[in-house]
Every structure is written in structure tokens, then in C-alpha cells.
Amino acid sequence: GGRRQRFELEVLLAMCVQDTAGLDLQNYADDRFNFVLKPEGAYPHVSTMLDTIRQCLFAVGPLEEWQLAQVARSVEESRWHKTVRCGGETSTGFYSMADRRGKKQPYYAPGILEQIHYCGMEQKYKKVAENLQAEWGGQDPRAVHVPAVAPGPAARGVQEGRPPRYLCVFVPTTSRQQRYLDEAATVWETWASNDTFFVSPTMLSGELGARTIVPPEDLDTDYAHLPVRTLRMWEYLGRHWAGECAWFMKADADAYVNLPAIAARLSCFDPQEWWFLGATQTSLQMDGSSREFATGGAGYIISAGLLPNVSAWMPFCLMESLHTAGGVGMEDATFAACLAKWGHVLPANYGDVGSEFVTNDHLLDTTRVGHPECAPPATCASIPPCMFVAHKLDIPGVRVAHQHLAGRAQGRRCRPTPQQVEALGRSHVTSYAPKSYGETVPYLGPRELAALRACAT
């Protein structure tokens, strides 16, 4: 009886406000994402939510007294995740809702969705979102063709008849802090090639100046807003660098990248096909499912055949990221989600994350690739010569890794042996996402497995 009485009072209140003030009741949040209101009890639903998004709850009920304390504590603990923006699925587009008679109306009234999009957003990101909406709003990303414009000075080799570069590497950086400049300088002094470039909002000084790319629409962001920079960079590369390189790699400045080894492995793949290569991990989604992405620390690679499409999708994905998350998030996961959504392109492993990519503390300690006490001529390091990437390293660690690896991959094919390929082909990844807990998927998909088998030696 109490629930029915509350419902009747709520209806009477809505009718009263409408009659006296001419105001209709409007949604201001997502009824599934921001509210857990379950007559049978809300606690079981809250307890299964991802801890990162409990901070987004507006109201939960009914709850028993002991459950109230538990929920309050879990919501408070959730707030340490700073890269979460609390916009539900209804804020990603123009959704509608229907009453019991089937009559439909927009989920959000005119103007409310726009207010949700821009709420709390810094002015510089709001301006980007408004410009994107004005230029691309309402268009179909799959039907958009981004015309190539005149290439910059570093990309004119094709027009002048020179052969295209093979593996081009782009390292995002900034002059905002001295340590970022020091990391970029260390990259150039150690593992960089003549086809390595630094992407910066401003021109870098000294020797790095000739290697700097300054996209006109780049922004100097903090770490949380890296998706803005990453998506802008890939849009720019498709417009200005299409046809210049066979492969396009995004790499971090706090990593050691073994370019000869990677180039040798890339010879197993056709750059004119659609390839999104890297070392994959999975991220938990808000609905309890999981999604694969190529981790940014290991670098990820786009083929020349895929780049124009990637460039065309980027404005739409940036617009969605700004509207739903304020541009905040994991840049690698945001990029992978974009390719999956608009091109159904998933990341593919091109090496063994257990040995050829050293991107976690355990492997860094096991190989000692960046440990100063194991620098040559010391022999305490255990590093395969065709290791592709080591991350995360400080500046001394990058220099030590360079001492270990520089030149070791030269003259080696760094292609997998048939035994390695078959071992990877038998490997599976187990899901720990609530919706697919315990399920397994092959480590190598059929395309990359076939490519690696064909070039194994």
C-alpha cells in the first residue's frame, strides 16, 4: 500500500506543477545508469556494479540500514577513479521513450541533452565539442570521406618521387614540463629512427625542432584528457600523411621501442589490408562486459590501408568522447572502442605479450631490461634480442635498455618460429568480466594466425 500511495503522490505533484506553473516533468539523468530503484531491494544490483561507476549513482533504494552504510562507503571509495564521467547511454545520442500506449517522445527535452554534454567541461574542450558538432553533427561516419590535403614538409617525399617510408613512429609529447622534453630528447638519442616524429602542441626547441609535428588543432591536455590529443593526432595523420608510410605507430616517450625487431615482424602482414596491431588487454565496461584494446604502453600500429578510414572516424569518436565523458578516459581504450564501433576493427596481437612485450612490473623485474645495475657489461639481465617494447621506464632505464638492445635485432629476421606460432595459436585469454566470467577466446585471431604461420621461420 505504501508504494502505491507514494506513486499517487508523485503523480499528483507532477500534475500540480504542470497545472499551476505550466512545467512538464523532464529527465535530467539516465534512469538505468544513475538510479537503482528496485522494489525487491536495490543492494544486490549495486554490489555487482563496477566499482568505478558507483560514484555515478544519484539514488538507490530501498535499502536496509546496514546496506545503506555499505553502499555509502562503496560510492565514496569509487570517487578515487578520476577518469570517469557520469553520463549514461542516453547521453550518447538522441534516445526516445514510450508510455504504455506506445506513444514516443525524446528521452531528454530540447536543450537538456546539450546542458548534460557541456556540464563541468573546461572551456577549451567545450569549444572543440561545439566545433565538431557544427561540422560533423548528423553525418554518418561510415559515409564520410576525409580528403587528403597538401602534406607537410616531412610528408612530401611521395610527391617528389621518393619511396614511402616503411615504419613511421609518432610520439606525443609537450613542452609543458621539462621532464617531457627530457624524455623526448632521450628517445631521439636512443631508439628513434629518421622516421620517428614528435607530436606536440608547440614547436620543440633544439635538435627536436626538425622532428616536431604541430597539428593545428592539437591541444595541450593533462593526462586524463589524453583521448582528445590521441584522436586529433590520428585524424591529422590521415589527412596529411596518407601514403607516406606503410605502417603508422603511436609510441610513448617513457618506453624503449625496438624498431628493427618490430619492422621485421611487420613484414608478416600486408600494410594495404586493414590491420590494427598491438599487445592487447581487456577493459571492463560499465555494463559488466569486456572489450579488447591495444595497450598504449606497448604502442599500437595502424596499416596504410586502414589509416584513411581511421582518420574519417576520429571526429565522431572525439565528439562522442567529449559529450559522454568530457574527453576523459584511457586514450588507448577510447581509440580501440572507436575502431570497433565504426569499422568493426578489433586489435590483433602481433607478438607474445609474455616475452616480446615487457610492459608490466613483473616482466621488467624478470628481464631487468631497464635496471642500471644490470647495464652492460653486467650479465644479470635476461633479454631476448627480438623484444619489441619495454614500458614503463624512466630516462636512465631507457638508456640501459638501449645498451642491451641496440643493434641486436639488426640482421635477425625477428620472425616467429613455427613452434612459437603454434604455441600462441593454442593460447587462450580468460575473461574476468561479470557478463562473461570464465569464458575464453583465442589469443590470436584467424587472420593474424594465418599471417604469422605464413612467415614463420
Side-chain angles (χ1 to χ4, degrees), residues 33 49-57 78 84 86 286-287:
F33 182 68
M49 292 178 65
L50 294 178
D51 59 357
T52 55
I53 62 173
R54 289 175 186 161
Q55 61 184 293
C56 301
L57 290 171
S78 175
V84 174
C86 295
M286 291 182 178
D287 63 357

Side-chain angles (χ1 to χ4, degrees), residues 190-191 256-262 264 355 358 367-370 374-388 399-415:
T190 55
W191 60 260
Y256 185 85
V257 182
N258 192 350
L259 292 179
I262 293 174
S355 61
V358 178
T367 62
R368 298 188 176 118
V369 62
C374 292
T379 58
C380 53
S382 176
I383 306 168
C386 290
M387 187 187 73
F388 296 146
R399 296 189 182 279
V400 170
H402 183 64
Q403 290 179 275
H404 283 300
L405 288 163
R408 290 182 70 187
Q410 300 286 0
R412 295 175 180 266
R413 301 186 71 184
C414 284
R415 295 184 176 186

Side-chain angles (χ1 to χ4, degrees), residues 1-306:
R3 191 180 305 128
R4 181 179 179 83
Q5 289 179 348
R6 285 198 304 271
F7 175 75
E8 291 174 349
L9 287 172
E10 291 162 355
V11 173
L12 287 173
L13 176 61
M15 293 173 63
C16 178
V17 173
Q18 186 180 49
D19 291 343
T20 58
L23 297 176
D24 292 326
L25 182 66
Q26 304 293 350
N27 287 315
Y28 73 102
D30 191 302
D31 63 338
R32 296 182 179 180
F33 182 68
N34 301 116
F35 302 92
V36 179
L37 305 173
K38 304 290 184 181
E40 70 277 12
Y43 185 75
H45 299 272
V46 176
S47 62
T48 58
M49 292 178 65
L50 294 178
D51 59 357
T52 55
I53 62 173
R54 289 175 186 161
Q55 61 184 293
C56 301
L57 290 171
F58 290 179
V60 180
L63 294 169
E64 297 181 15
E65 185 174 349
W66 69 270
Q67 295 172 338
L68 179 62
Q70 294 261 17
V71 170
R73 183 164 56 252
S74 68
V75 169
E76 184 63 32
E77 291 173 350
S78 175
R79 293 194 175 110
W80 77 272
H81 297 276
K82 300 298 184 183
T83 60
V84 174
R85 185 175 172 89
C86 295
E89 185 178 6
T90 51
S91 67
T92 65
F94 298 99
Y95 283 73
S96 62
M97 58 183 178
D99 59 22
R100 293 181 178 179
R101 297 180 179 179
K103 183 180 178 181
K104 290 186 177 182
Q105 66 181 42
Y107 187 84
Y108 292 111
I112 290 183
L113 186 58
E114 181 179 358
Q115 293 298 321
I116 293 174
H117 286 169
Y118 298 140
C119 179
M121 189 183 296
E122 290 183 44
Q123 185 60 35
K124 63 179 179 180
Y125 303 122
K126 181 179 180 181
K127 184 177 180 180
V128 171
E130 290 172 341
N131 290 342
L132 288 169
Q133 183 65 38
E135 183 175 1
W136 301 103
Q139 297 189 53
D140 182 356
R142 298 184 183 92
V144 171
H145 171 67
V146 178
V149 298
R156 289 181 182 146
V158 173
Q159 290 187 347
E160 296 169 0
R162 297 198 302 271
R165 309 169 192 266
Y166 187 66
L167 172 59
C168 295
V169 184
F170 302 90
V171 183
T173 188
T174 173
S175 58
R176 180 160 41 91
Q177 294 184 21
Q178 183 61 42
R179 71 181 181 93
Y180 299 135
L181 295 173
D182 294 341
E183 287 176 346
T186 302
V187 167
W188 180 243
E189 293 166 5
T190 55
W191 60 260
S193 71
N194 287 330
D195 295 330
T196 301
F197 303 91
F198 300 93
V199 182
S200 172
T202 58
M203 183 61 67
L204 303 182
S205 61
E207 193 174 9
L208 297 178
R211 316 302 307 171
T212 305
I213 298 172
V214 185
E217 296 179 331
D218 195 4
L219 287 176
D220 203 349
T221 69
D222 56 11
Y223 180 82
H225 288 85
L226 282 182
V228 178
R229 292 202 66 198
T230 298
L231 301 186
R232 281 295 204 200
M233 182 189 80
W234 285 107
E235 179 188 1
Y236 175 86
L237 292 177
R239 287 175 175 265
H240 295 265
W241 284 71
E244 172 70 11
C245 315
W247 298 98
F248 297 79
M249 181 179 189
K250 179 261 175 189
D252 286 354
D254 56 356
Y256 185 85
V257 182
N258 192 350
L259 292 179
I262 293 174
R265 181 61 57 87
L266 288 177
S267 66
C268 296
F269 303 89
D270 183 351
Q272 296 309 312
E273 296 179 359
W274 282 19
W275 286 109
F276 172 24
L277 301 172
T280 63
Q281 292 183 0
T282 57
S283 62
L284 286 175
Q285 304 303 296
M286 291 182 178
D287 63 357
S289 63
S290 63
R291 174 181 291 145
E292 278 192 315
F293 66 98
T295 174
Y300 47 84
I301 304 167
I302 296 295
S303 62
L306 179 58

Side-chain angles (χ1 to χ4, degrees), residues 273-355:
E273 296 179 359
W274 282 19
W275 286 109
F276 172 24
L277 301 172
T280 63
Q281 292 183 0
T282 57
S283 62
L284 286 175
Q285 304 303 296
M286 291 182 178
D287 63 357
S289 63
S290 63
R291 174 181 291 145
E292 278 192 315
F293 66 98
T295 174
Y300 47 84
I301 304 167
I302 296 295
S303 62
L306 179 58
L307 181 66
N309 299 81
V310 169
S311 178
W313 300 327
M314 290 300 105
F316 299 93
C317 295
L318 179 54
M319 186 162 51
E320 181 176 334
S321 174
L322 288 166
H323 285 171
T324 61
V328 169
M330 297 165 54
E331 60 88 13
D332 43 14
T334 302
F335 180 72
C338 177
L339 270 60
K341 178 174 183 177
W342 294 117
H344 303 291
V345 178
L346 300 179
N349 289 297
Y350 70 98
D352 183 358
V353 294
S355 61

